[in-house]
Amino acid sequence: MADPSAESDFLKEFLIPSYILLPETAVDAPPDVPKCPVLVFINAKSGGQLGGELYKTYRSLLNEEQVFDLSEEAPDKSLSKIYINLEKLKLDGDEFATKIEEKLKIIVAGGDGTAGWLLGVVSDLKLTRPPPIATVPLGTGNNLPFAFGWGKKNPGTDRQSVESFLYQVLKAKEMKIDSWHILMRMKVPKDGPCDPIAPLELPHSLHAFQRVSADDTMNLDGYHTFRGGFWNYFSMGMDAQISYAFHSERKLHPEKFKNQLVNQSTYARLGCTQGWFAASIFHPASRNIAQLAKVKIMKRQGHWEDLHIPHSIRSIVCLNLPSFSGGLNPWGTPNQQKKDERDLTPPYVDDSLIEVVGFRDAWHGLVLLAPNGHGTRLAQAHRIRFEFHKGAADHTFMRIDGEPWKQPLPVDDDTVVVEISHLGQVNMLATHGCRSKSMYDPSTPSHHNEEDDSGEEDSVQDEEFRKFGAAETFKIPDEVDISHLS
């Protein structure tokens, strides 16, 4: 039987006293600063009943005030209050509060949508010391936690499982991760409703953004401009179509989607019924990527160039992390010959480059299950632009970090533009030996040493443009049911 006093001493390393969390609370600082003070954010509606059970367990082990239910209060509000209080305490000379801020870490439990929400909020708050974030897999895909070594299966919710996770957080290393800005522009329709948000059912991270100043050239008169951000991937084509069918069915029958294994089985079934495994028969060639859009990329040199897309490609993925569709790695690791001939690098998560990969059909995707298997490597880029013109189809499907939507394409002679560009970075917590690689990690062989050109975005004068999600505070709108975030 475990020693209760030893367990108590272990948990003290994560505890934050109430006066740090709640303003106007009597100061009750313990004699020793905890090694790993944590704020825990849990989507209590994720993972069926698991989210709620996990919430109860964390609250029973830690100070209840340091554990938050995301369905009760948005994280930007919670974090803002805590950091305002920390600043006040520091001005009053509270050294304990200073040490807490220096050591503070965040744990977020939910699907990739929930984790991305927290990362976006931390990015937007522009904190002096942004806390690194550990992600608990509590969704269907769980690409973010898997990429950083936290697994992809729903965790245990008992005391022992939570303590085991806390121990991993205590020993975890910090890594940077790139974030990506996405801009979509489409002409205001001549007929029908002027606001396309409702029928588009856009992801929570992609939303309309109005002109913020007279110098805002990103927002054009007569056009709808949407901006947002992502951490893991943007995809377009048939894979997004399957995801859209899955989310539509889950929205209609949420009671059938409370088990991770059932969700994954349903996803596979939809892949068959939508024709993803027989795309050459069921998927019209007019919807192949090369027919739908003209694609341009910008490498580090700073000029746009056309990207050749093979006519057989039915799905394209712009990938930031080495984890897609529940843990697959579409880019793989290019061999030395490919590195030299095409100037390809391993998929570093902090190199300001996004990997662009194509797939012909689901069978092509299955090569990822084989050793050294990968998709069709198209490019690595600092920016990528899709220009959709009238012609091939009236719509396509797109997806950001697991959240899909049906995107209408031009019906007249105008163009729909989607542009993705590097935005910034945030701190992640990773287990040692995780699959994500840093170009600055001495244990990771570096392909080349180039000067960082991350200042390129400074040519855009809008401060709002540099915010993740391009919002004052990145948050999920009230009308979006957070339980549907994957």
Side-chain angles (χ1 to χ4, degrees), residues 43-48 71 110-114 117 138-141 201 203-204 243 246-258 263 400-404 476 479-486:
N43 181 352
K45 296 181 180 179
S46 282
S71 63
D112 284 334
T114 303
W117 186 19
L138 208 61
T140 302
E201 297 183 338
H204 67 275
S243 180
F246 173 84
H247 280 252
S248 298
E249 190 165 321
R250 182 167 64 174
K251 190 173 183 178
L252 288 173
H253 305 286
E255 70 281 358
K256 297 180 180 179
F257 294 83
K258 294 185 177 182
N263 291 356
I400 296 178
D401 285 355
E403 296 181 83
I476 296 178
E479 64 268 22
V480 175
D481 185 352
I482 190 173
S483 66
H484 289 166
L485 292 182
S486 59

Side-chain angles (χ1 to χ4, degrees), residues 74-77 117 121 124 204-205 207 471 473-478:
D76 54 296
K77 294 181 180 179
W117 186 19
V121 166
D124 274 357
H204 67 275
S205 60
H207 46 266
T473 52
F474 179 79
K475 60 183 180 180
I476 296 178
D478 294 336

Side-chain angles (χ1 to χ4, degrees), residues 359-416:
F359 292 97
R360 298 185 298 273
D361 51 29
W363 297 110
H364 188 193
L366 290 178
V367 304
L368 302 181
L369 300 175
N372 302 320
H374 60 85
T376 300
R377 298 185 184 116
L378 299 172
Q380 286 175 302
H382 190 63
R383 293 188 178 189
I384 182 168
R385 177 189 294 161
F386 300 87
E387 297 178 354
F388 302 88
H389 300 276
K390 175 185 176 182
D394 59 0
H395 71 274
T396 188
F397 295 89
M398 298 180 182
R399 180 163 61 144
I400 296 178
D401 285 355
E403 296 181 83
W405 76 98
K406 185 177 180 180
Q407 174 60 43
L409 297 181
V411 295
D412 51 29
D413 293 330
D414 208 74
T415 304
V416 170

